[in-house]
Amino acid sequence: MKRLELWLYIAQRGSALVLAPLVLLHLGVILYAVSGGLSAAEILGRTRSTMLWPAAYGLFVVAAAIHAAIGLRVVVREWTHWRNRTLDFAALGFGLVLLLLGLRAVQAIA
Amino acid sequence: MRNHASYRAFLVHRLSGLGLALFLPIHLIVLGLAVEASALDGFLRWSELPLVKAAETILVVLLALHMFGGLRLLAIELLPWSDRQKNWIGWAAAASLAVGAGFVIRTFA
Amino acid sequence: MTNASLGTLKVEIWRGAEEGDFETFEVPSQPSQTVLDLVTYVQRKLDPSLAYRFACRVGVCGSCAMTVNGTPRWTCRTHVQKVASSGRVRIEPLRNLPILKDLATDMAPFFDKGQEALGRFVPSDARASEVATIPPDDPKRKEANAAIECIGCGVCYSACDVVSWQPDYLGPAALNRAWTLVNDVRDGDRQGHLKAVAEDAGCHACHGHQNCVEHCPVGLNPTRSIAGLKRLVVMAALKGEL
Amino acid sequence: MSGLERHQTDLLILGSGGAGLLAALHAHDKDPSLEITIAVKGLLGKSGCTRMVQGGYNVALAPGDSLQRHFMDTIEGGKWLNHQELAWRLVEGAVERIVELENRWGCFFDRNPDGRLHFKAFAGQTVDRTVHKGDLTGIEIINRLAEQVWARGIKRMEEHRAIALIPSRDGQRLSGVLMLDIRTGEFRFVAAKAVLLATGGGPTMYLYHTPSGDKSCDGLAMALRAGLKLRDMEMVQFHPTGLIAGKDTRITGTIIEEGLRGAGGHILDGSGERFMHKYDPRNERATRDIVSRGMYDQMKAGRTGPNGGVFITMKHLDPAMVRKQFKGMVTRCADVGFDLVSGNVEVVPTAHYMMGGVEYALDCRTSLPGLFAAGEDTGGVHGANRLGGNGVANSTVYGGIAGEAMAAFAKSDGGIVAPDEAAIEAAVADTMRPFSRKSGDLNALRERLYKLMWDDVGIIRSEESLKRGEKALDDLAAELAETGLPQTTRAFNLTWADWLSLDSLILTSRAIAAAALRRDDSRGAHYRSDFPETGSLEKSENTVVTLEGNRIAVTTTPVAFTRVRPGQTLA
Ligand SMILES: Cc1cc2nc3c(=O)[nH]c(=O)nc-3n(C[C@H](O)[C@H](O)[C@H](O)COP(=O)(O)OP(=O)(O)OC[C@H]3O[C@@H](n4cnc5c(N)ncnc54)[C@H](O)[C@@H]3O)c2cc1C
Ligand code: HEM
Ligand code: SF4
Ligand code: F3S
Ligand code: FES
């Protein structure tokens, strides 16, 4: 693809922008959850009461999959000798795995 | 050559990013396993262990470091240049510490 | 004026090309002595076969950069006192460039990248009979002016880890030059400069390490220039203008 | 000669200063099908003095200025020795060139608040006419030109040293140039349809000198050996304030900005007393030559600082002003260990520029067909003294002219012609000579040259000193010829380069001494203690030096006042 690196860069920064508020939200949630001593049922009860939570976490998962896959690819390219096409596929694979795992988890709280 | 704040900020950001990328799949597997509420309860109980708590704290700090560091980078790249950008490193570090401290206080208190 | 009481320095100098080793020389200390003077002393008095490069000796030509105790520097303007640690100075060629011999590198890849980044003015009105009227406080002019006085020494290029991790990366100096052109209202192909730095090893490969800023001997800020390019390039890409 | 690498190119340009780079660009513009090669001793665009230009570029574009005024300033500054047609072409060409530098090559000159070019004051000028980029004008010009050359597929032979101009077999024209590839130590012969000599002169034979380290009068020495005439070689300009910090540092000789004196800086003798009032009512603000002579006189009398110089100080002035107005100079001094704001900085007059050089025509042809010359290698434009700001104008104006003339010549008269093989062989043998002699102390020879030129052929000369100088130069030449180099590698051998530079410098020094002996009056940069008065301007003559066998011959020719006579003015 023409200017692949630039588009990956844009996707990575874009996904980071999406992640930032979601991570803040998530940090809030864990702080709340761990300090409130909530039980699993209570947590799930809340997350399942509205579609907003699964939607937010769904978005988080998609953004994180894009963001982390691209990020890892860059790190591997720069810090190892692995820099050919196979790396691109590996990164893509990593992103997909992340996405699947993530969606499964989101499904659990939905 | 690398002995200055911006470079250290990069290293922290990269290592935290790596840490997160390696941890996130594990985290998601665990969560995914918790389709059953009981399994999640088990998980939560397991997460009461001090060692696990400590590990989680580190992860939360990593996440905070990476996020604030990332926001700093996004600000440098997307906003007009500011000569105060060097100070942002300090702010990002402080905010991450605050989050970490908050987490520690809330979990252990 | 020689001053014997100042003692001697142990000067370790890289000998050879990519393959090579350090050789140690003893050079008498002087009150006024730059790193270039150390190297000159060795070539004139101790080993006539030592190779290095310099021209202006006052920090304008950018020929004399070397790695001194691990840090890339312009040697003609670096006082020995500033870098010697317990009487030792270790001098190597610049990193990230092929070594020709001893302390002299082949700088061609560095300048080639300047061209790859379309780091040259493209006239819009070459035949105009008058010089363009440009107020010095015009924001674009100020932006370009802040980045223009590069001496092409390669210090930033040598200090940048991304250059060593991604050898195709255009590097701070080339991108910095492109930024001055993008802001030059006289330039006839500002889009062209953006296109050039949007290629695969372009501005977006920079991670903002700022080694370049820390080491640029004339105090330029390539990070700032590169950030500016990133903004413009992303905007252009999203608008489909590249 | 067998075993010699041979190349051919249409145009061969020696040197990548303002003259060389503009020649390449103009030739390329005129005929893009030409193969153009720039051969340069250092790296392209990173060597030579054009890059070191601080002050700026004279051009008659300011409101109230005119070509006539720029011309008259140039002639009066040159004490009527200028070649008037060349000087006129300079002032005319400067206007064209500055616009071209901005609009075509992208130079970025400073502006007034209203957005128009800023012109600053420079000594010896009746109008503020110096265009500049801060105080680093040369970097801007050379960076922009080098980028353009790089972009055009012009061939580069970097770190190649021109050794000798090689005539054709019949000796009627130039065939090409023998080059030494510094990186490998191998010789190359480059045949060309036309060659430009633009190696930038450079009076680096004096104890204290400003030019870049790669300049060693090779062009002038090659021209002498090729039978060309050099004019006004006695005219060597000294800049009054060069740093002095001992002989073992390359900082010694480098310029401390002139503006410091203008801004009220004081010059003090070794005991801290001001002295310029003894020489001129303008004190420290007198012209370059007068201040240099005053300083030299004090130094001769032994009233010096620890390194043998005098001092400049700004400490009686507002430190904030000094720091702000002379930021570059203050940091440069600080980098190398001097405090310009509140201390005394030891300074000496330092050899800066050669007004003399190869005789050439308005289109840069020389008397040797196929050879062109431009820039500081040439003589005529500046006469007995160069105005600050006319140096870079000279190299860029005539560089461009030479490029076009060479492109035209290559088409009409130019062809590749076979070289005089014997000349190549002789030049190779001369260059290899030190490897077959017993290794000796080159540094001692260089220091002797520096010292004798400074003492006897320097700021103040006399028949006696010049004769002593000539004798010492002959001795040095003979000794250098027998001084060898250690048998080390020829690749990137800087000590060999030093030997070759000394060889060029000694020959050129002989030309300076001979011309100085011939001129029995004082004017401009040339001062004879035995003839302190300036002779009749009406009867002004140019000196002309040639090399006959191994002897320097001097003649004179009357100045042709083709545009204006002494006492008249155009402005
Ligand atoms: C410190 C300083 C400040 C100055 N400031 C001003 C100023 O403010 N205004 C002004 O008008 N003038 C100034 N001058 C003078 C001006 O720089 C010169 O007059 C002019 O630039 C000379 O240009 P050039 O092209 O002839 O030579 P240069 O620019 O000196 O270039 C000569 C080139 O020839 C090469 N060369 C030399 N020998 C050989 C060889 N044997 N083989 C191959 N290549 C060779 C060199 O490497 C170099 O590339 C200043 C000079 C100095 C030293
Ligand atoms: C919270 C919001 C986040 C922000 C603002 C953010 C921001 C960024 C930015 C700007 C980069 C680019 C760094 C560079 O190229 O130099 C980056 C890299 C990276 N991020 Fe994130 N990130 C966030 C969350 C995450 C998460 C959740 C993960 C893990 C799953 C992650 C993993 C990575 C990795 C592996 C890199 C590559 C590191 C590198 O190139 O040095 N990030 N991040
Ligand atoms: S940006 Fe600075 S460090 Fe880099 S080449 Fe230019 S002057 Fe040298
Ligand atoms: S050091 Fe390199 S990574 Fe970017 S900020 Fe400078 S170019
Ligand atoms: S010798 Fe020119 S910058 Fe150092």
Side-chain angles (χ1 to χ4, degrees), chain B residues 1-11 14 72-83 85-86 89, chain C residues 70-72 95 158-159 161 165 206-211 213-215 221 223-225 227-228 230-231 234:
Chain B
M1 202 157 61
R2 304 181 185 85
N3 187 18
H4 56 96
S6 308
Y7 196 86
R8 284 191 285 268
F10 158 78
L11 275 183
R14 172 156 285 190
R72 161 192 162 265
L73 220 93
L74 288 169
I76 289 180
E77 291 182 347
L78 299 179
L79 304 176
W81 183 264
S82 158
D83 283 330
Q85 53 90 17
K86 277 267 148 93
I89 299 174
Chain C
T71 304
R95 187 173 76 129
S158 160
D161 272 348
W165 297 340
C206 162
H207 293 297
H209 293 172
Q210 303 197 30
N211 287 2
V213 185
E214 293 288 325
H215 294 92
N221 187 338
T223 309
R224 175 188 179 138
S225 303
K230 284 175 174 167
R231 275 197 297 281
V234 169

Side-chain angles (χ1 to χ4, degrees), chain C residues 54-57 59-64 76:
Chain C
F54 80 101
C56 71
R57 67 215 160 97
V60 301
C61 72
S63 310
C64 66
C76 69

Side-chain angles (χ1 to χ4, degrees), chain D residues 212-539:
Chain D
S212 62
D214 49 303
K215 296 224 293 191
S216 52
C217 296
D218 298 338
L220 296 171
M222 287 190 290
L224 276 175
R225 292 193 177 111
L228 279 91
K229 293 178 179 163
L230 308 189
R231 82 183 246 161
D232 298 333
M233 285 301 291
E234 70 280 17
M235 298 300 174
V236 179
Q237 184 171 64
F238 283 78
H239 192 290
T241 49
L243 275 173
I244 174 169
K247 69 182 170 60
D248 287 329
T249 174
R250 293 205 191 260
I251 299 161
T252 289
T254 59
I255 287 189
I256 292 252
E257 195 176 305
E258 279 208 292
L260 292 169
R261 284 184 293 125
H266 287 170
I267 299 189
L268 313 173
D269 66 15
S271 61
E273 296 294 320
R274 285 176 77 186
F275 57 80
M276 271 314 297
H277 56 273
K278 294 183 201 158
Y279 302 92
D280 194 284
R282 290 166 292 180
N283 292 336
E284 284 85 355
R285 296 188 199 192
T287 52
R288 280 183 185 178
D289 48 332
I290 294 172
V291 178
S292 294
R293 279 200 294 277
M295 292 167 65
Y296 183 78
D297 195 45
Q298 294 291 310
M299 289 164 60
K300 274 266 158 197
R303 288 189 278 276
T304 66
N307 288 305
V310 295
F311 296 103
I312 189 164
T313 186
M314 306 296 281
K315 65 184 174 202
H316 55 288
L317 300 170
D318 172 22
M321 179 282 284
V322 176
R323 256 191 215 104
K324 180 160 177 289
Q325 207 174 326
F326 300 101
K327 190 164 165 281
M329 220 51 242
V330 170
T331 46
R332 186 191 288 184
C333 284
D335 281 351
V336 292
F338 301 99
D339 178 0
L340 187 60
V341 180
S342 53
N344 290 347
V345 176
E346 199 170 351
V347 289
V348 277
T350 173
H352 188 42
Y353 186 90
M354 300 173 78
M355 276 70 75
V358 175
E359 280 201 347
Y360 69 122
L362 273 169
D363 65 354
C364 297
R365 283 175 199 246
T366 66
S367 58
L368 180 61
L371 181 69
F372 294 71
E376 200 177 325
D377 272 345
T378 63
V381 169
H382 309 296
N385 219 338
R386 172 184 70 94
L387 297 184
N390 268 0
V392 58
N394 176 42
S395 59
T396 53
V397 166
Y398 281 103
I401 291 173
E404 283 167 36
M406 288 163 73
F409 179 88
K411 215 173 219 150
S412 58
D413 316 62
I416 301 280
V417 294
D420 175 351
E421 294 292 335
I424 296 182
E425 242 163 90
V428 168
D430 281 347
T431 310
M432 290 299 292
R433 184 184 178 96
F435 288 111
S436 60
R437 296 292 185 282
K438 209 166 113 279
S439 153
D441 189 353
L442 217 50
N443 297 304
L445 291 188
R446 176 179 38 240
E447 280 164 22
R448 266 168 60 197
L449 172 68
Y450 280 180
K451 184 100 173 39
L452 89 89
M453 286 302 285
W454 175 256
D455 286 337
D456 291 336
V457 196
I459 295 172
I460 297 177
R461 308 150 170 182
S462 66
E463 181 177 342
E464 189 199 340
S465 79
L466 289 167
K467 287 203 159 138
R468 197 165 52 230
E470 282 195 321
K471 167 84 178 51
L473 283 169
D474 289 342
D475 293 348
L476 262 189
E479 272 182 64
L480 181 72
E482 294 310 317
T483 302
L485 295 172
Q487 295 291 339
T488 55
T489 165
R490 281 165 55 188
F492 227 122
N493 187 329
L494 296 189
T495 308
W496 190 14
D498 285 345
W499 192 98
L500 294 169
S501 295
L502 266 180
D503 191 42
S504 298
L505 285 173
I506 292 174
L507 179 58
T508 311
S509 299
R510 288 171 60 205
I512 295 174
L517 194 56
R518 180 62 184 251
R519 182 172 299 284
D520 48 9
D521 77 343
S522 292
R523 61 169 85 199
H526 174 73
Y527 189 87
R528 289 274 299 258
S529 57
D530 44 354
F531 297 98
E533 301 302 324
T534 301
S536 153
L537 293 181
E538 271 297 331
K539 298 206 183 96

Side-chain angles (χ1 to χ4, degrees), chain D residues 183-220:
Chain D
R183 293 178 183 176
T184 61
E186 300 295 328
F187 290 96
R188 308 219 140 92
F189 176 70
V190 185
K193 294 176 182 166
V195 172
L196 179 68
L197 194 67
T199 64
T204 55
M205 65 284 277
Y206 288 92
L207 186 51
Y208 311 112
H209 56 254
T210 68
S212 62
D214 49 303
K215 296 224 293 191
S216 52
C217 296
D218 298 338
L220 296 171

Side-chain angles (χ1 to χ4, degrees), chain C residues 182-200:
Chain C
V182 167
N183 282 288
D184 190 335
V185 293
R186 304 165 305 164
D187 193 276
D189 190 13
R190 284 189 268 165
Q191 209 65 20
H193 302 296
L194 279 187
K195 281 194 179 129
V197 301
E199 290 299 325
D200 273 355

